[in-house]
Amino acid sequence: MPVPIPRQRAIPAAESGQAQGAFSPGGPSGEATGGPAGAAPAPQAATTPVDSTTNLTLLVIEDDPAGSLSVPEMLDAAGKPIRIRTARNLTEAERLLTDDVHCILLDLALPAPGRAATQSDDELTTLKHVLRLAPRHAVLALTASGDAERGAEAVRVGAQDYLFRDELDGRLLSRAIRYAVERKRSDKAERRLTESRLRAQENARLERGLLPTPLLEGSSLRFAARYRPGRSRALLGGDFYDTVRTPDGTVHAMIGDVCGHGPDEAALGVELRIAWRALTFAGLCGDELLSTLQQVLEHERENDEIFATLCTVDIAPDGRRAGLCLAGHPSPLISRPGRPAELLPYENGGPALGLLPGARWPRRQVELGGEWSLMLYTDGLIEGHIGEGKERLGQDGMVDLVRRRLAEGLAGEELLRATVNEVRDLNGGELTDDVAVLLLDRTP
């Protein structure tokens, strides 16, 4: 077994703030540079990433008045000296624990703050304190020779590895430091991956609630939909839609948008969509349905400033006419053979849900004809910019865009995909708001 290299103890660390041992001084307070005497101190390095140009820095936390503990001279994988800082207690360690420290070597015999060392209580109290103090740093636990059980327990608590006090030769310790740093980096990457998977699962659950499978069994209408979340959105926003066919043959469609973005808004959107489906199957329609949905929103929202826009359409069993209700929402677009695509009438619409207590939402009867396509959408489709200026696409711009795509012979999914992609391109990149589009087609 290699013989430990003794350290000089002429100037206590607590007094000088410098690490002792076979190191040349010249680093920051509490820091020495391993390697030949007179070597210039390496520049400070960030905690991550560590590459071939970075000097590793080790913070040693131990109280060894007898001087039996020695930290040998060490080199990293690139042959550069590993910098050492020494602290005799946790208070001093907290002062020396800066961002350029990559690894901590902790003597498990060090007493916890404000108490004497004891093995009758939790033997790893000090380690747990250090882990709370330095959650982003790699930690090596130092224990008595042969006390592998205590070392293994330290790893279970959160240390990256453990070493025996009488085995601290430079080669072993430098390798352990590099291993601990890389393992900590791997642990961080794995944690981020796990968090990403959890977010993806949460997104999937919200998507199933916001963007359901339509219930159109027995209907001749064709259904298509498209959803694109706004940029930098970790979760789906508050856009939602649904389409169902009731036993009398009527097809009901709706699309809505809760103000704001994030999990709370998305969850409220799910609640409103599910409530709409249940109320529709219960026979409610028009003003009665929207009044009940407003009550749901008022009871479920976090504060009185949250509101939701909504558009509902109920299409008669013969498919030739429909009832339209607008609650602060853009009017649908209809296209028919031989006629340019246009917006359905939007006069006499009601306010968004949650704005005015006791509001009313008149239901307007519209004639559709024998063959048509009806597009419902959220305002994310029309609020994108045109080029680099502040001008927005708007409803007129959207109508012109859809007319051109229809003239190219596009329909269904292809029409929606081309429309959303062109809106994004006109914006010069991803849209800031979520976009939901629903399309119903009737052909002879």
Side-chain angles (χ1 to χ4, degrees), residues 29-335:
S29 177
E31 181 177 308
T33 304
Q44 286 194 346
T47 304
T48 56
V50 180
D51 54 34
S52 60
T53 64
T54 301
N55 288 73
L56 289 173
T57 300
L58 174 70
L59 175 61
V60 181
I61 308 176
E62 56 89 15
D63 183 16
D64 184 27
S68 60
L69 174 63
S70 61
V71 179
E73 174 184 317
M74 295 175 292
L75 300 176
D76 63 17
K80 297 183 178 182
I82 295 177
R83 300 188 298 178
I84 309 295
R85 296 179 184 176
T86 301
R88 288 184 178 258
N89 52 58
L90 295 181
T91 301
E92 187 176 348
E94 186 171 1
R95 178 175 63 84
L96 297 176
L97 188 62
T98 52
D99 288 340
D100 59 331
V101 173
H102 300 94
C103 185
I104 298 170
L105 178 63
L106 173 67
D107 186 358
L108 294 182
L110 187 74
R115 55 185 289 183
T118 175
Q119 294 197 9
S120 60
D121 274 332
D122 186 353
E123 296 179 334
L124 301 176
T125 299
T126 303
L127 173 61
K128 294 175 180 178
H129 183 87
V130 170
L131 292 173
R132 289 193 298 269
L133 187 67
R136 298 181 293 109
H137 294 76
V139 177
L140 286 171
L142 191 64
T143 186
S145 178
D147 195 356
E149 182 176 349
R150 194 178 187 196
E153 181 63 23
V155 173
R156 284 193 290 271
V157 168
Q160 273 60 58
D161 203 351
Y162 69 92
L163 299 169
F164 296 133
R165 290 173 60 92
D166 57 356
E167 293 183 357
L168 289 184
D169 66 276
R171 185 176 180 181
L172 172 64
L173 183 54
S174 61
R175 184 175 61 198
I177 292 171
R178 295 196 302 272
Y179 168 78
V181 170
E182 292 303 320
R183 181 171 178 180
K184 184 66 175 181
R185 182 188 298 176
S186 176
D187 290 344
K188 289 180 181 177
E190 184 176 355
R191 184 169 61 252
R192 286 194 296 268
L193 179 60
T194 299
E195 292 172 352
S196 177
R197 287 172 177 168
L198 291 174
R199 284 196 299 269
Q201 292 172 2
E202 189 174 38
N203 281 350
R205 287 194 296 270
L206 286 172
E207 184 173 356
R208 285 194 296 270
L210 290 168
L211 318 177
T213 301
L215 300 180
L216 290 175
E217 184 177 357
S219 173
S220 61
L221 300 183
R222 294 185 303 174
F223 171 89
R226 192 160 184 81
Y227 177 87
R228 180 185 289 275
R231 65 169 164 235
S232 69
R233 195 86 67 235
L235 294 171
L236 295 176
D239 292 9
F240 56 98
Y241 61 77
D242 203 353
T243 306
V244 299
R245 180 177 183 268
T246 49
D248 64 355
T250 302
V251 171
H252 303 260
M254 69 87 125
I255 195 164
D257 184 3
V258 177
C259 68
H261 306 279
D264 293 333
E265 290 75 13
L268 182 56
V270 172
E271 292 181 81
L272 293 175
R273 186 202 64 76
I274 294 174
W276 176 87
R277 178 176 281 199
L279 294 170
T280 298
F281 278 122
L284 275 66
C285 187
D287 178 75
E288 186 179 12
L289 186 149
L290 291 175
S291 296
T292 308
L293 283 179
Q294 172 155 283
Q295 295 180 39
V296 173
L297 183 145
E298 290 172 347
H299 283 88
E300 298 296 332
R301 62 185 176 184
E302 283 192 342
N303 59 72
D304 293 342
E305 296 181 357
I306 294 178
F307 62 90
T309 67
L310 200 70
C311 168
T312 68
V313 176
D314 55 279
I315 303 170
D318 63 6
R320 303 186 66 89
R321 61 189 183 281
L324 171 66
C325 284
L326 297 175
H329 200 90
S331 183
L333 181 145
I334 186 170
S335 61

Side-chain angles (χ1 to χ4, degrees), residues 355-374:
L355 290 183
L356 299 176
R360 314 306 298 179
W361 293 271
R363 176 178 176 272
R364 178 162 186 157
Q365 188 79 11
V366 294
E367 295 296 325
L368 301 177
E371 183 176 353
W372 47 264
S373 291
L374 192 62

